Amino acid sequence: AQSVAQPEDQVNVAEGNPLTVKCTYSVSGNPYLFWYVQYPNRGLQFLLKYITGDNLVKGSYGFEAEFNKSQTSFHLKKPSALVSDSALYFCAVRVSGGYNKLIFGAGTRLAVHP
Amino acid sequence: DTAVSQTPKYLVTQMGNDKSIKCEQNLGHDTMYWYKQDSKKFLKIMFSYNNKELIINETVPNRFSPKSPDKAHLNLHINSLELGDSAVYFCASSAPGLAGAEQYFGPGTRLTVT
């Protein structure tokens, strides 16, 4: 079965420190992987995606993610966290078979403390 | 200009009523989606239309009926509302024919059934 796991419900980090939000996936075929962010009472915003090519993907707001095929992971990272990064982060994988159907992880709440 | 818009933003109604949520996108996309986000923030796809044709139809009660009058609009009608239908419903759209195209989300409609 195709799935996405975000093992941490919440990640706490001090402002200025690096942050990592973890994601692992299970999908048949080549994975198309995405990260989205959701601020309170807002819709999801696209951050970045991995389709093919370089394993390190750069996205919006200084975020990046590293695709690791052997570990089936796609962790989201940022070198220096901001308080304004505090939000709910979703990892998603495109289900093979077309139609751009996405399966989302359960979400990880990132709390950045001053 | 709002890319993906939904109306209404909030909807409070009683059990047994019928209600509709409207979605419009001005991005020129051919593919549109409806998602349901439950109280635990879990996000699940319900339907997808590509150029007015239904392409994804998940296991959703048949009380839910999507309708796409044209490729820029996707509405969701819900009959005989139940308490368990309370959730936030998101509309999204994506570019056609692009493998791994990111989806753009609307601001959501918070449905409360009492």
Side-chain angles (χ1 to χ4, degrees):
Chain A
Q2 301 180 83
S3 64
V4 177
Q6 293 182 244
E8 303 152 318
D9 289 338
Q10 179 150 333
V11 169
N12 296 298
V13 64
E15 188 174 30
N17 282 1
L19 69 88
T20 298
V21 182
K22 296 180 180 177
C23 172
T24 59
Y25 66 90
S26 172
V27 65
S28 50
N30 292 324
Y32 292 173
L33 296 156
F34 302 81
W35 275 103
Y36 287 83
V37 60
Q38 185 178 26
Y39 297 100
N41 300 314
R42 304 283 294 275
L44 277 70
Q45 294 179 33
F46 169 74
L47 276 180
L48 50 80
K49 66 182 177 183
Y50 173 82
I51 304 299
T52 186
D54 208 351
N55 288 345
L56 186 63
V57 179
K58 294 190 183 295
S60 306
Y61 313 120
F63 283 93
E64 57 190 27
E66 186 166 12
F67 171 65
N68 187 317
K69 188 171 183 177
S70 62
Q71 296 186 4
T72 61
S73 68
F74 189 55
H75 300 333
L76 181 71
K77 300 181 181 185
K78 188 174 182 182
S80 179
L82 299 171
V83 172
S84 57
D85 293 329
S86 299
L88 188 57
Y89 290 80
F90 289 95
C91 181
V93 65
R94 178 180 179 260
V95 171
S96 54
Y99 298 136
N100 249 5
K101 177 180 173 181
L102 297 181
I103 294 176
F104 284 83
T108 298
R109 191 165 297 281
L110 173 67
V112 182
H113 305 285
Chain B
D1 270 349
T2 304
V4 182
S5 59
Q6 296 178 228
T7 54
K9 191 169 174 63
Y10 300 96
L11 188 52
V12 181
T13 188
Q14 292 184 327
M15 285 176 55
N17 285 350
D18 303 339
K19 290 293 178 186
S20 292
I21 306 172
K22 296 186 176 182
C23 177
E24 177 181 1
Q25 55 93 4
N26 62 6
L27 297 167
H29 291 164
D30 279 13
T31 308
M32 296 184 72
Y33 312 80
W34 277 113
Y35 287 87
K36 179 180 181 181
Q37 186 174 47
D38 64 22
S39 58
K40 295 186 177 181
K41 304 297 185 184
F42 186 68
L43 196 66
K44 193 171 189 304
I45 190 165
M46 301 172 69
F47 304 102
S48 178
Y49 271 75
N50 183 60
N51 203 11
K52 301 195 295 177
E53 178 188 352
L54 183 65
I55 56 172
I56 297 174
N57 187 358
E58 293 295 285
T59 308
V60 175
N62 57 15
R63 297 181 295 103
F64 290 78
S65 53
K67 190 166 186 179
S68 181
D70 56 62
K71 68 178 190 178
H73 295 84
L74 179 61
N75 304 323
L76 182 65
H77 189 75
I78 316 170
N79 288 326
S80 303
L81 278 154
E82 300 178 358
L83 292 176
D85 298 332
S86 295
V88 181
Y89 293 85
F90 288 101
C91 177
S93 71
S94 66
L98 209 59
E102 59 267 28
Q103 296 179 17
Y104 292 80
F105 284 76
T109 296
R110 183 175 296 275
L111 171 64
T112 303
V113 183
T114 61

